[in-house]
Amino acid sequence: MNAEVEILEVSPRDGLQNEKTILSTEDKIELVERAVGAGARRIEVTSFVNPSRVPQMADADDVMAALPRREGLKYAGLVMNRRGLDRALAGNVDEIDVVVVATDTFCQRNQGMSTAEACDTAAALVEEARAAGVFSTITVGASFGCPFEGEVTTDRLREVVQRVVDAGPDELALADTIGVAVPTDVKARLGLARGLAGPDMPLRLHLHDTRHTGVANAVAAVEAGVRTLDASIGGAGGCPFAPNATGNVATEDLVYLFDRMGVTHGLDLASVTATAAWLEHRLGRPLPGALLRAGSFPG
Amino acid sequence: MNAEVEILEVSPRDGLQNEKTILSTEDKIELVERAVGAGARRIEVTSFVNPSRVPQMADADDVMAALPRREGLKYAGLVMNRRGLDRALAGNVDEIDVVVVATDTFCQRNQGMSTAEACDTAAALVEEARAAGVFSTITVGASFGCPFEGEVTTDRLREVVQRVVDAGPDELALADTIGVAVPTDVKARLGLARGLAGPDMPLRLHLHDTRHTGVANAVAAVEAGVRTLDASIGGAGGCPFAPNATGNVATEDLVYLFDRMGVTHGLDLASVTATAAWLEHRLGRPLPGALLRAGSFPG
């Protein structure tokens, strides 16, 4: 399959935020450095949120300050509000990632406001980021299903995505936050997003492998023309505000898949898998990525 | 997606044969009965092989004799040789499944003969089964890669599949025995098999989820027109003669996938998942299927 994709490495943020073991700032920096060594060029390094809500991210400012900068390497930070944006800009992020959850119940639990309020907030944050010369992406959480409200209809998603498009980000992402999507959903909802966003806005897809559909959904996304996929080394991750949300699709599982499919991505499988083994050791629990257990092929 | 598939339940055979815990004959019968209760209509119930080689299958004849027969329900038994065929026919199987491994090294370890010898044996077994009025299927093991020889070239596969087609089975299957395939491989090699087998021979695909590509490969197979997929409740399984071979793709993971894709299959997700939980308890180890942990959606 002739395609080139970008894998946005989210292990330092989505990968860690739900882990019981709090990594040291040094370990977080090492994780980012290892990802860079494996070929990652776009990394969501932290989230600038209230440390009482997400203790793993309490050292976000320190992490940002300590990370070495390199030409062609982009660090993204997740922000929810003005306070987070100020911290992100002070930390000199390359990108902000703003989240809007597609259902009111989950949005309220995730960020203390309704979906409509989150859209308004996102619009203001995007505008301020742009004024500061910083790239912005908006991620629509629970685009394929909600742990509290159940099915998210395409009508509801259309309404939310339209508001997000109106907010004017540089990129738009759909997130399968609780890992319920199947390939037909992925193609249909990415098509809906493409229709609303127009042909020029980059689309990104954020997948969780909770029901082992993550890899199939990644294939569907590439077939649908999406060229940026989030993934997390080792398949670490989950949302602290969503029950039963397990890991992101594992970076090394996508790397194996894409290597054998002939889809280029710039990452080195052995390095990513070695980093997954390192992260597993630091977190003190088995991570769900498959390549970590199975090894590559041919060996 | 408008399609109807048949899921061939292989947990009593491929699912159990690599497990350390030997299930009682009663438990094996209960497993089959539970699968039937969940909607399975085609089940590989055992293999008629040398018990010193595969101790889990030592009671194959007893299992076959004890299973209740029902209209529309087909029991398959794996056979490797004339002795196995005689036992299968004496047990009144509905189908025999004959295996030919695509590489000589693995074929030698699996069944003590070269690939060419296995093809000759398969041809004789198919002929005798037909004479006895029994349906025959031939599975080409390691169609996508070999744990001993590495890559299996398409030239090699073409040669083996041609010999298998010449053996004249009622159905032909490709097996990703060690779980290395990706969707592009699946489409290419099923296309190769279709070209050699002609438009009328049913094709089947046997998947392992060792590298988390099993679900994606199932989607590719359905897109390629294949209508029978092997799966194992709980994702139990593996080959005793292939290092690092982990579980078959889990039946309940395919059922979740197909339910949400609108692909019909006749199985009930809750019943299959409950059976996976039961099997996990009987085997005394966690099984790798995802739905067992994650639960369905919407809940």
Side-chain angles (χ1 to χ4, degrees), chain A residues 1 144-147 150-151 178-185 187 209-213 215-216 219 223 244 253 256-257 260-261 288-291 293-298, chain B residues 1 144-147 150-151 178-185 187 209-213 215-216 219 223 244 253 256-257 260-261 288-291 293-298:
Chain A
M1 191 178 178
F144 298 88
C146 169
E151 301 287 5
I178 57 168
V180 296
V182 296
T184 43
D185 296 333
K187 288 186 176 173
D209 199 26
T210 313
R211 288 168 184 81
H212 283 177
T213 58
V215 169
V219 173
E223 286 174 353
N244 269 338
D253 293 358
Y256 175 81
L257 171 84
R260 284 190 81 79
M261 289 183 75
L291 267 288
R293 304 288 154 246
S296 190
F297 177 83
Chain B
M1 192 178 177
F144 298 87
C146 170
E151 300 287 4
I178 56 167
V180 297
V182 296
T184 43
D185 296 334
K187 288 186 176 175
D209 199 27
T210 313
R211 288 167 185 83
H212 283 178
T213 59
V215 170
V219 173
E223 286 174 352
N244 269 337
D253 293 358
Y256 175 81
L257 171 84
R260 285 191 79 80
M261 288 182 76
L291 267 287
R293 304 286 154 247
S296 191
F297 177 83

